[in-house]
Amino acid sequence: MSYMYAVARLRANENRFLDASFFSRLIDSATLEDALKALGETVYAQWAAGSSEASLDRIIDSELIATCEELARFVPDKELIGIYRMTYDFNNVKVILKSLFKARENGERRYDLLSKLGAVDAESLIMLIEGEEYGFLPYGLGDVIRRCLAVWDQSKNPQQVELILDAHMFDVMRATAEELDAKLKTSNIARWVRHRIDAENLRNAVRLQRMNYDAASALPFFHKGGTIGPDGVAKLMGEPFETWGKSLSHTDVGAALELGQDKTDVQAALSDISKALDDYLIRVLDKAKYSASAPENVILYLLRKEEEARNLRIALVCVAKGLNREFARRLLSRGR
């Protein structure tokens, strides 16, 4: 099926993206009320009316959900949107399992961290998992959930449970992408997923480096299926952040980590690497924007919308909390 109509709709919708000048104006707002007033002049107006600091996440998530629902009305292959939303589904499964574990230890269930951005209704996931109706779970999660429960019973270690779920998510994501590539006669969707795994591994490496893990102890945290093997990521442990780009110069992501300055401020280094990886995952699909019919434009559009949401969250929290405005500007992604 042709994607010319879908891509044309996406191109028209790009005019609604918030640009760099808007974010600059937003960060310079004197108060949160002023920032929300500025937001009321954008596509976020329908969610921003009558809002306060407590509802900032709701504003941003509501627009992302509406975007996914709008795209689902005209994108021929809904799996393209599903690949984007899959991460939120698996995060919801993590929240439900953690809540279940707490209940088993006589704690209180907490579902306030569930996201509506997943493709699968969160309430349905709760009922299926807590009702032990594992055979009806999506993404082949039945056996995986049983394994997670067994691991928890043995170790009481939530980290191990998360690693099992993440590994399965990337397996499902890769399989979905490969099926789409075969159907749409492209190779770029599976390629993007491989780079998505690289980015997740490198984010984990940043966190583990901060906690002084060595290569051997960090290795179990890195997932297979990326363009860089787990061993290749583990070798970064113990190296200064500013050398990571050089160490990975033989890979595509290496250039993205060439931050070009000495990083004596660890927090700044972590922020810059995280932003570089976010930017990189968009650039992996950048060539699609020159095509009037490339299906990859669907994922590219959603990534740009998520980038906008991330920038908006940074700007609004900065104003609401009275944080350093210049540091907030550094955290903003560059936009396209």
Side-chain angles (χ1 to χ4, degrees):
M1 186 177 295
S2 173
Y3 269 75
M4 291 192 68
Y5 173 74
V7 173
R9 285 281 299 268
L10 295 175
R11 292 282 189 270
N13 287 352
E14 286 175 357
N15 294 323
R16 303 186 300 193
F17 282 132
L18 307 181
D19 60 20
S21 63
F22 175 82
F23 283 113
S24 181
R25 178 160 66 99
L26 200 65
I27 287 179
D28 287 333
S29 299
T31 66
L32 180 61
E33 183 180 359
D34 291 336
L36 291 173
K37 189 178 298 183
L39 203 60
E41 303 168 5
T42 71
V43 295
Y44 290 83
Q46 57 189 317
W47 322 115
S51 294
S52 63
E53 181 178 346
S55 54
L56 297 184
D57 284 335
R58 180 189 58 78
I59 295 170
I60 296 167
D61 287 352
S62 294
E63 175 62 16
L64 283 172
I65 292 165
T67 297
C68 290
E69 292 174 348
E70 179 185 8
L71 266 59
R73 289 193 283 271
F74 63 82
V75 169
D77 295 284
K78 306 302 182 285
E79 297 92 338
L80 283 167
I81 305 167
I83 283 178
Y84 167 77
R85 303 186 77 171
M86 194 180 295
T87 303
Y88 295 99
D89 285 324
F90 275 80
N91 283 340
N92 282 344
V93 171
K94 292 177 186 178
V95 170
I96 294 167
L97 284 179
K98 287 179 181 178
S99 179
L100 184 60
F101 298 154
K102 284 184 179 180
R104 289 184 173 184
E105 301 291 325
N106 298 317
E108 184 179 350
R109 282 178 166 83
R110 284 195 58 186
Y111 294 132
D112 51 301
L113 295 178
L114 289 171
S115 172
K116 294 183 179 179
L117 275 163
V120 181
D121 177 63
E123 293 293 331
S124 298
L125 287 175
I126 293 172
M127 288 188 293
L128 291 172
I129 292 174
E130 294 201 344
E132 299 184 8
E133 299 286 345
Y134 305 138
F136 296 97
L137 285 168
Y139 306 121
L141 273 166
D143 289 338
V144 177
I145 295 297
R146 292 186 183 93
R147 184 181 169 200
C148 288
L149 294 171
V151 166
W152 172 258
D153 287 340
Q154 293 170 3
S155 69
K156 298 294 187 291
N157 187 338
Q159 242 179 13
Q160 290 185 20
V161 171
E162 288 198 13
L163 288 173
I164 291 169
L165 288 168
D166 285 342
H168 185 68
M169 179 187 73
F170 287 128
D171 285 344
V172 175
M173 197 178 285
R174 284 202 333 269
T176 303
E178 287 166 2
E179 289 176 8
L180 277 168
D181 277 350
K183 178 181 179 181
L184 300 171
K185 296 180 173 56
T186 181
S187 61
N188 289 325
I189 301 168
R191 175 175 172 267
W192 178 80
V193 170
R194 288 194 295 273
H195 288 289
R196 167 78 174 78
I197 295 169
D198 287 338
E200 181 65 18
N201 283 340
L202 288 168
R203 288 185 209 281
N204 284 340
V206 170
R207 299 184 191 106
L208 296 170
Q209 172 88 306
R210 194 177 187 184
M211 294 187 286
N212 297 316
Y213 274 64
D214 59 22
S217 57
L219 187 59
F221 291 86
F222 304 135
H223 302 289
K224 298 177 181 178
T227 67
I228 310 167
D231 288 337
V233 182
K235 287 178 182 177
L236 298 174
M237 306 308 298
E239 293 186 19
F241 293 123
E242 61 267 24
T243 69
W244 285 19
K246 184 177 180 180
S247 297
L248 296 174
S249 59
H250 61 289
T251 70
D252 291 338
V253 74
L257 297 180
E258 289 286 0
L259 303 179
Q261 53 186 307
D262 181 35
K263 296 297 174 187
T264 56
D265 182 344
V266 174
Q267 186 58 47
L270 299 179
S271 300
D272 285 352
I273 288 174
S274 182
K275 186 176 75 168
L277 291 171
D278 290 334
D279 291 343
Y280 173 71
L281 285 176
I282 293 179
R283 290 202 304 276
V284 168
L285 293 174
D286 254 357
K287 287 184 180 179
K289 67 186 180 184
Y290 301 110
S291 168
S293 59
E296 299 92 314
N297 277 294
V298 176
I299 295 178
L300 181 59
Y301 183 90
L302 287 167
L303 291 177
R304 289 186 60 195
K305 191 67 180 179
E306 188 170 62
E307 176 186 64
E308 175 183 273
R310 192 162 49 246
N311 284 345
L312 191 55
R313 188 171 279 108
I314 291 168
L316 290 175
V317 169
C318 169
V319 175
K321 302 293 186 183
L323 304 179
N324 183 292
R325 309 277 168 125
E326 290 311 308
F327 183 68
R329 290 183 207 280
R330 273 187 57 189
L331 294 178
L332 296 179
S333 296
R334 61 186 176 87
R336 302 299 182 283

